[in-house]
Amino acid sequence: MSNPLSRRLRTTLFYALRTAFRLTPMPQGTRDRLRERFLDTKGHWVPEGPKGQAPTGDLPRRPYVRSDERAIGYVPYEKGELPDPLPATLVAFYLPQFHTIPENDAWWGKGFTEWRNVTRALPQFEGHYQPKLPGDLGFYDLRNVEVMHEQARLAREYGISAFCFYFYWFGGKTLLETPLRNWLNDKTIDLKFCLCWANEKWTRTWDGRGDEILIDQQHSPDDDIAFIAHVAEYMRDPRYLQVDGKPVLVVYRPGVMADMASTSKRWRSWCSANGIGDIHLSYVQSFEKPDPKDIGADSAIEFPPNAFSASPVSQSQRLLNSSYNGSVLDWRDVAGQAAAKERYPLIPCVNPSWDNEARRPGKGRTYLHASPQAYRDWLASTIAEPLAGIDSHSLVFINAWNEWAEGAVLEPSAYYGHAWLDATRGALQRSKSGKKTAKPVNPLPCAVVHAWHPELLPEILALLRESGLPWRIIITTAPEREVSVRAILQRMDRNDIEVVVLENRGRDILPFLKLAHRLEREGCDVVLKLHTKKSTHRRDGDAWRKDLIEKLASPRSASVLHAAFLSDDTLGLVAPAGHLLPLSFYWGANEANVVHLATRMGLPTPAPDSETFAAGSMFWVRLRALRPLLDANLGDQDFEREEGQVDGTFAHAIERMFAFASRGAGLRVITSAELCGSEGDDGGAEYAFARKG
């Protein structure tokens, strides 16, 4: 292990060399080659990023009981409609390393596949979602062609038009080609495909860098011809992806070729002479960004998160492993980064998420704050506003279909279900005819009522009816209350009300978050959140409930508040008058959870004396205002088991973060009094239903 002084010297020298390198004029191709040569041989010189917060000795904030739990935003398989025609051709990169080969047996141990990497991953800091486990498709073996049939079916149903298979060729030897051969030979697999030559050496570092080479490349003029002759069989398949009648061939790292421009000429000449015709040659901007014409290519393909900048957020993470040396970055910077408007054809690419902790235990690169909803919005924007495209074709690549060990996956997972695929279909639906159009928003107000005390439902439902608004009403309740709830609705002849039964966990908060995820996907805009609050530990519990509900749902307030949301798009959350309190109320029991939640949401730690929250957790809200909270990737296991807790639980912390999330989303938080006139006390006096503590 190197001493601290040598590490400091290396760090100083690294920054000095980097500054000189950036100031030295040179062609972009030369710059790319020198950078890659340095990283191949001196990658250990790159300074380590900021560290997370050391473990305190306390137990983790949530129990790590099992790794196949479901996220709050879990989406089951659902049939759905796709636009016809599709507004874009979506092409997902596809990894074939999910079957055994003799070489991997020798290098990594008998029976090795990518699944071994996937299952060994562990969470390194609080909120770190690892390991990432497969869902409906299971730990599949790609030698089984039925698996690929199912993958193709899912891809088609959710709007993926083609797979781009990584192809491994090493001087005449191919690895991991069995799945591709099976695909080629089974003409009933109905999905387009193309090849991306992963033309780098294989090393033990899993990223093509380093000196311990497992199998090297043999780039040469003869190898160029042998390669193109081998892949020509794939390009002749009628399912092979084409642009203007030209088969698409992708090169992963043109910079490692001896002379990519000469290689391109050889390939084109051979294809022209052997019945393929002209090809559309593209390259991946994973490590370098030359102008395609300078290397004989037709286009380039973006490859996020590689070559995209992102802010480090390691320092705000509470570590579970004190030896963790990985880097934690903000995925939102990648998704929100302005795409380069290059003078050459540049095919856009989006990325659902990224975390290669499985491949580099304790040293991985994790991008936080990725979510299916944010990925959907990024993809929709990309489809609507493509980069310098390829003629009239709207090609968009996705990184990736099944990079499980890199955390870049569209396939169903144990945690998210089909959420990433659903988001893909949702992006296509929102981008019909190449124009970015939001999914039709249902203008009807939706009331979500949590019923732990069913006997109070008639009181609440009567008030909603008296308000005169055309409500869509959804009631959430626990299994042990379901019979009572349905009996009450039957007596009231309210068969128009949906009942959702969920585990008695997280009080009214967890059920509401689950419904909010679903309603946001459905295009719902504004929701009124209510619950059958009794507060049996207080003598004024009934008065507290009635005051909250009447200020939100009474005939004199409900229509005014709903109209305000329809007319003011900046309005995020409306709290009942007199119940918008400083965050410092009951701060001691909730501080740690609130700070943790802010980190999970990717927002600064709130100031308890200046931030406010809606006490009693009843309010009107625009679902877009809750995106920071909905995108925090919370799961059921984050919430404690119900044991009659009065304060200090994760649910109590989230109650304090609804208004904070709205402000974080750039939307306003006000009280009902500001819209309905002098209705009730709007602060200033001591809060009648709790004391500051």
Side-chain angles (χ1 to χ4, degrees):
M1 182 176 180
S2 59
N3 61 62
L5 178 61
S6 65
R7 182 178 301 166
R8 285 197 295 270
L9 286 174
R10 282 203 312 272
T11 298
T12 302
L13 183 58
F14 171 83
Y15 284 117
L17 289 172
R18 189 178 70 172
T19 300
F21 180 72
R22 289 177 172 177
L23 293 175
T24 303
M26 65 183 77
Q28 184 62 45
T30 302
R31 189 179 300 277
D32 289 338
R33 284 193 295 273
L34 290 175
R35 182 190 298 111
E36 292 311 307
R37 188 175 302 167
F38 174 85
L39 292 173
D40 274 346
T41 58
K42 296 290 189 294
H44 59 284
W45 280 35
V46 179
E48 296 177 352
K51 300 295 183 184
Q53 301 169 22
T56 61
D58 298 334
L59 291 174
R61 195 167 307 279
R62 47 151 290 185
Y64 290 95
V65 177
R66 54 189 296 173
S67 57
D68 63 342
E69 65 185 46
R70 293 184 173 185
I72 292 175
Y74 181 94
V75 179
Y77 167 76
E78 296 173 350
K79 289 188 175 294
E81 297 295 325
L82 287 168
D84 186 15
L86 291 174
T89 298
L90 303 185
V91 184
F93 286 103
Y94 183 107
L95 181 72
Q97 190 160 221
F98 294 96
H99 66 288
T100 58
I101 59 174
E103 292 81 3
N104 275 337
D105 284 350
W107 295 330
W108 305 106
K110 184 71 173 174
F112 176 86
T113 73
E114 190 79 333
W115 294 126
R116 184 176 298 177
N117 284 334
V118 171
T119 56
R120 71 179 178 174
L122 293 172
Q124 300 294 322
F125 50 87
E126 287 195 349
H128 189 196
Y129 158 42
Q130 282 290 359
K132 302 180 188 298
L133 302 179
D136 290 12
L137 297 178
F139 293 97
Y140 51 73
D141 186 329
L142 286 180
R143 292 172 298 187
N144 179 0
V145 72
E146 291 305 314
V147 170
M148 303 185 86
H149 273 283
E150 184 65 8
Q151 290 174 321
R153 182 191 66 80
L154 277 174
R156 287 195 312 273
E157 284 195 26
Y158 284 94
I160 303 295
S161 297
F163 287 154
C164 183
F165 291 101
Y166 287 116
F167 187 77
Y168 301 95
W169 165 278
F170 303 88
K173 181 181 180 62
T174 62
L175 299 180
L176 303 171
E177 194 180 5
T178 297
L180 279 167
R181 282 285 156 189
N182 290 341
W183 189 289
L184 184 67
N185 294 331
D186 189 339
K187 306 303 182 184
T188 65
I189 301 178
D190 184 18
L191 191 74
K192 292 185 180 299
F193 70 98
C194 63
L195 301 183
C196 174
W197 181 17
N199 63 318
E200 58 189 1
K201 61 193 174 186
W202 274 17
T203 73
R204 287 196 177 275
T205 59
W206 286 110
D207 60 3
R209 296 169 173 165
D211 296 324
E212 191 174 354
I213 299 173
L214 300 175
I215 184 169
D216 208 347
Q217 292 289 348
Q218 300 176 29
H219 299 304
S220 68
D222 288 342
D223 189 57
D224 290 345
I225 298 302
F227 168 81
I228 199 68
H230 186 89
V231 301
E233 185 178 4
Y234 293 100
M235 291 193 287
R236 290 189 176 99
D237 190 283
R239 296 166 297 176
Y240 199 86
L241 181 68
Q242 297 183 348
V243 169
D244 290 332
K246 303 172 185 178
V248 176
L249 181 62
V250 183
V251 176
Y252 188 65
R253 292 184 65 180
V256 304
M257 305 290 285
D259 184 352
M260 187 65 214
S262 296
T263 295
S264 172
K265 289 180 181 178
R266 294 186 193 98
W267 286 351
R268 293 183 191 278
S269 178
W270 189 96
C271 287
S272 179
N274 288 273
I276 299 295
D278 197 6
I279 61 174
H280 183 96
L281 182 60
S282 192
Y283 82 91
V284 172
Q285 291 188 332
S286 182
F287 295 91
E288 59 256 25
K289 294 185 176 183
D291 188 320
K293 71 175 183 295
D294 292 340
I295 59 173
D298 300 293
S299 64
I301 303 171
E302 288 187 312
F303 198 71
N306 288 16
F308 281 65
S309 60
S311 304
V313 292
S314 302
Q315 62 273 23
S316 60
Q317 309 308 316
R318 183 181 173 188
L319 299 183
L320 301 174
N321 172 16
S322 59
S323 300
Y324 177 63
N325 286 313
S327 57
V328 188
L329 304 163
D330 196 329
W331 178 89
R332 296 171 301 183
D333 290 347
V334 176
Q337 205 162 127
K341 300 299 181 183
E342 302 291 356
R343 63 188 180 280
Y344 53 75
L346 179 60
I347 302 173
C349 180
V350 301
N351 163 247
S353 58
W354 179 276
D355 181 2
N356 67 352
E357 174 63 31
R359 284 190 171 175
R360 301 175 62 84
K363 301 176 183 178
R365 182 163 53 107
T366 299
Y367 284 80
L368 286 187
H369 311 309
S371 71
Q373 297 95 325
Y375 154 74
R376 176 200 64 203
D377 296 344
W378 183 16
L379 179 56
S381 296
T382 301
I383 293 170
E385 301 173 7
L387 303 182
I390 311 303
D391 299 330
S392 61
H393 297 268
S394 297
L395 286 177
V396 177
F397 277 70
I398 300 173
N399 181 26
W401 174 263
N402 63 341
E403 281 281 10
W404 283 95
E406 292 182 345
V409 180
L410 292 182
E411 286 183 327
S413 70
Y415 193 63
Y416 286 109
H418 291 68
W420 298 104
L421 286 170
D422 179 81
T424 303
R425 185 162 62 195
L428 290 166
Q429 292 169 338
R430 294 169 186 237
S431 306
K432 297 176 183 177
S433 303
K435 297 179 180 179
K436 184 179 179 182
T437 56
K439 190 170 184 177
V441 172
N442 189 340
L444 298 181
C446 181
V448 175
V449 184
H450 185 65
W452 178 248
H453 301 287
E455 66 275 13
L456 297 178
L457 272 177
E459 168 192 314
I460 294 174
L461 296 178
L463 194 63
L464 290 175
R465 174 172 285 176
E466 291 169 9
S467 71
L469 289 176
W471 295 100
R472 173 190 179 184
I473 301 175
I474 303 176
I475 294 175
T476 60
T477 193
E480 55 267 46
R481 299 291 197 269
E482 179 184 6
V483 172
S484 297
V485 167
R486 294 192 184 278
I488 289 170
L489 294 180
Q490 186 175 17
R491 287 198 300 271
M492 297 182 69
D493 195 24
R494 294 303 304 267
N495 57 9
D496 59 319
I497 294 177
E498 180 183 356
V499 177
V500 177
V501 181
L502 299 166
E503 178 188 2
N504 180 28
R505 191 169 190 157
R507 307 287 174 89
D508 57 294
I509 301 295
L510 179 53
F512 176 73
L513 290 178
K514 291 188 174 186
L515 257 294
H517 269 284
R518 194 190 98 187
L519 293 171
E520 194 272 348
R521 288 174 48 236
E522 293 176 359
C524 180
D525 185 25
V526 179
V527 172
L528 170 61
K529 178 187 180 301
L530 303 173
H531 60 105
T532 57
K533 183 179 182 65
K534 266 196 170 182
S535 302
T536 54
H537 62 288
R538 299 183 58 88
R539 288 182 296 177
D540 57 357
D542 285 341
W544 193 357
R545 178 188 69 255
K546 290 179 179 180
D547 192 60
L548 288 163
I549 295 177
E550 287 179 3
K551 289 177 177 177
L552 296 171
S554 67
R556 67 178 181 276
S557 59
S559 59
V560 173
L561 300 181
H562 181 239
F565 277 97
L566 295 181
S567 63
D568 184 357
D569 196 50
T570 70
L571 188 56
L573 184 144
V574 175
H579 298 271
L580 192 63
L581 306 181
L583 199 61
S584 55
F585 269 64
Y586 288 101
W587 181 240
N590 296 292
E591 178 180 5
N593 277 333
V594 167
V595 171
H596 169 69
L597 262 172
T599 300
R600 296 282 294 272
M601 294 162 65
L603 296 176
T605 300
D609 291 324
S610 57
E611 288 289 343
T612 55
F613 75 101
S617 69
M618 299 194 207
F619 46 77
W620 283 81
V621 69
R622 191 183 305 279
L623 290 180
R624 180 161 50 90
L626 299 184
R627 281 289 296 273
L629 191 52
L630 298 180
D631 289 356
N633 300 327
L634 303 175
D636 288 12
Q637 296 300 322
D638 285 302
F639 293 79
E640 301 88 347
R641 294 285 181 184
E642 177 57 39
E643 296 176 350
Q645 304 95 321
V646 175
D647 197 24
T649 68
F650 201 68
H652 286 99
I654 291 181
E655 175 187 5
R656 284 154 176 77
M657 299 301 274
F658 285 118
F660 185 65
S662 180
R663 296 187 184 99
L667 299 178
R668 295 189 302 124
V669 176
I670 61 175
T671 69
S672 58
E674 295 176 65
L675 295 170
C676 301
S678 58
E679 179 200 321
D681 176 28
D682 199 23
E686 182 177 346
Y687 189 51
F689 303 103
R691 294 181 180 179
K692 186 173 181 179

